[in-house]
Amino acid sequence: MRLGLALGYWGRGPDPRHVALAQEAERLGYHSVWTAESWGSDVFTPLTWIAARTSTIRLGTAVAQMAARSPTTTAMHALTLDHLSGGRVMLGLGLSGPQVVEGWYGRPFPKSPLTATREYVDVVRQVLRRQAPVELDGRFHSHPYRGPDGTGLGKALKPITHPLRAELPILLGAEGPKNIAQTTRIADGWLPLYWSPNRPEVYEASLAEAPEGFLVAPMAQVRVCDDVAEGLLPVKTMLGFYIGGMGHAARNFHADLMARMGYEEQARRIQRLFLEGRREEAVLAVPDAFADEISLVGPRERIAERLESWRKGPVTDLLALAPDRESLRVLAEVNA
């Protein structure tokens, strides 16, 4: 199982530790480093900054939001950074949810998310392969554009710049069962938001037709500490925000996923508390058991023991949300 470092997205400002953590991860033999975006910092600029200060570690987006850019723009970002980094880019894409897509990006959330995702990946693939001008008679991402408000003068084009790699890896951040199943057919890998090695049945059917070499790269908070309960608090804080606030009460993909993982009653309670403004109570309502099974927290011996269950399943890459050098080092040592 390969290791990656997941840095997430910025909060109020840039985290001054990120470049040093990426360099340390590279020194320790980590395979990849990943950045993210939501409604603040973008995903590609910090990754470019890291690329200039590293030499071998792969550079992943987890995830670049599809609503933020047209598929050709995303492909341009990926092929440009792939050239500048010497072929190190792994392109992770995600659809996000209605609140972010419509509230921040000012676009309609697609009524057929699977179709929108499939078309987006198709266009990105066409750009990267550069076999012919990009053409797609699609519902969401037609190229050239043929909508009623267009001029009709659009021309199918190939990228001027020749991509470094036609088969640059594309991974999708999918959560619903049908979306995950489609991911195994159209992408090179999958970026699970929550992964529990104790519950393989949650994703078993969706991954049944995954081809050989398909990447499964979940994120997990990793923290070396003596007090497990204290170490789980950042995990619970993250879960409280995602399950309670990252989505509408009637349509929250993260809460739905927690429910499918056996915690439906708790997920709805967290949502209710968060939406009532009782955020601290929402965090405390996150079950320690759930936070624990999707993370690696505690003393070195405990992390080493629990890591064995991650190795036994289909996970190919563990992307560690690790806030400090010691946790990065310990994870590398126990995974060796």
Side-chain angles (χ1 to χ4, degrees):
M1 185 174 64
R2 301 183 303 194
L3 297 179
L5 167 64
L7 296 172
Y9 46 79
W10 294 355
R12 183 172 296 181
D15 190 323
R17 302 172 300 169
H18 279 183
V19 169
L21 283 172
Q23 291 171 330
E24 179 68 359
E26 182 174 71
R27 188 188 71 79
L28 290 167
Y30 277 60
H31 175 261
S32 56
V33 58
W34 302 74
T35 55
E37 65 185 2
S38 193
W39 54 91
S41 60
D42 80 277
V43 72
F44 286 105
T45 308
L47 204 60
T48 304
W49 194 252
I50 290 167
R53 285 157 176 76
T54 56
S55 57
T56 58
I57 197 166
R58 303 296 196 277
L59 308 159
T61 58
V63 293
Q65 297 202 348
M66 290 185 242
R69 306 164 189 85
S70 71
T72 48
T73 305
T74 294
M76 289 166 64
H77 278 297
L79 75 85
T80 301
L81 182 53
D82 205 44
H83 269 290
L84 294 175
S85 66
R88 290 191 277 153
V89 171
M90 303 175 75
L91 180 61
L93 302 171
L95 201 57
S96 192
Q99 278 199 330
V100 175
V101 172
E102 297 184 3
W104 180 248
Y105 294 114
R107 302 186 59 183
F109 187 79
K111 290 184 171 60
S112 299
L114 270 69
T115 302
T117 299
R118 189 166 59 250
E119 290 182 5
Y120 199 102
V121 172
D122 186 344
V123 172
V124 172
R125 295 273 198 209
Q126 288 191 52
V127 174
L128 294 175
R129 288 171 179 166
R130 202 179 178 273
Q131 294 173 339
V134 176
E135 291 193 89
L136 178 67
D137 186 13
R139 179 176 175 185
F140 298 98
H141 298 292
S142 290
H143 282 69
Y145 180 73
R146 298 184 179 88
D149 55 342
T151 64
L153 302 177
K155 179 181 179 181
L157 301 169
K158 286 198 297 186
I160 296 171
T161 305
H162 291 229
L164 184 64
R165 292 182 296 161
E167 302 303 326
L168 184 152
I170 296 175
L171 298 87
L172 295 178
E175 290 184 61
K178 292 181 179 178
N179 203 348
I180 297 168
Q182 174 175 266
T183 298
T184 67
R185 297 191 295 271
I186 67 171
D188 303 296
W190 172 45
L191 294 160
L193 181 61
Y194 311 136
W195 177 273
S196 170
N198 305 329
R199 301 174 188 270
E201 70 281 357
V202 174
Y203 301 119
E204 190 172 18
S206 299
L207 294 174
E209 298 182 11
E212 185 177 353
F214 185 78
L215 304 177
V216 177
M219 292 186 207
Q221 291 207 33
V222 178
R223 188 179 300 268
V224 177
C225 59
D226 294 326
D227 189 327
V228 174
E230 182 180 340
L232 287 174
L233 278 176
V235 186
K236 295 175 67 169
T237 299
M238 176 272 293
L239 288 169
F241 175 63
Y242 271 74
I243 292 161
M246 288 283 273
H248 190 270
R251 195 169 189 184
N252 184 316
F253 302 135
H254 312 307
D256 293 344
L257 174 56
M258 182 178 175
R260 288 197 301 276
M261 295 179 79
Y263 295 91
E264 182 167 10
E265 182 180 342
Q266 296 92 328
R268 303 313 169 197
R269 182 164 184 261
I270 294 165
Q271 273 190 293
R272 185 175 67 255
L273 289 169
F274 196 96
L275 294 172
E276 289 174 357
R278 300 154 66 184
R279 297 191 176 191
E280 289 186 13
E281 291 180 66
V283 170
L284 294 176
V286 176
D288 281 5
F290 181 56
D292 197 23
E293 67 182 88
I294 65 168
S295 60
L296 288 162
V297 172
R300 176 193 178 104
E301 296 74 19
R302 186 176 194 265
I303 289 176
E305 179 182 353
R306 291 166 58 80
L307 193 63
E308 288 303 315
S309 61
W310 290 75
R311 286 200 188 101
K312 291 176 183 176
V315 174
T316 59
D317 298 75
L318 173 60
L319 311 186
L321 287 156
D324 60 89
R325 288 172 179 253
E326 183 189 4
S327 296
L328 280 179
R329 178 183 58 79
V330 168
L331 183 63
E333 290 174 354
V334 300
N335 189 60

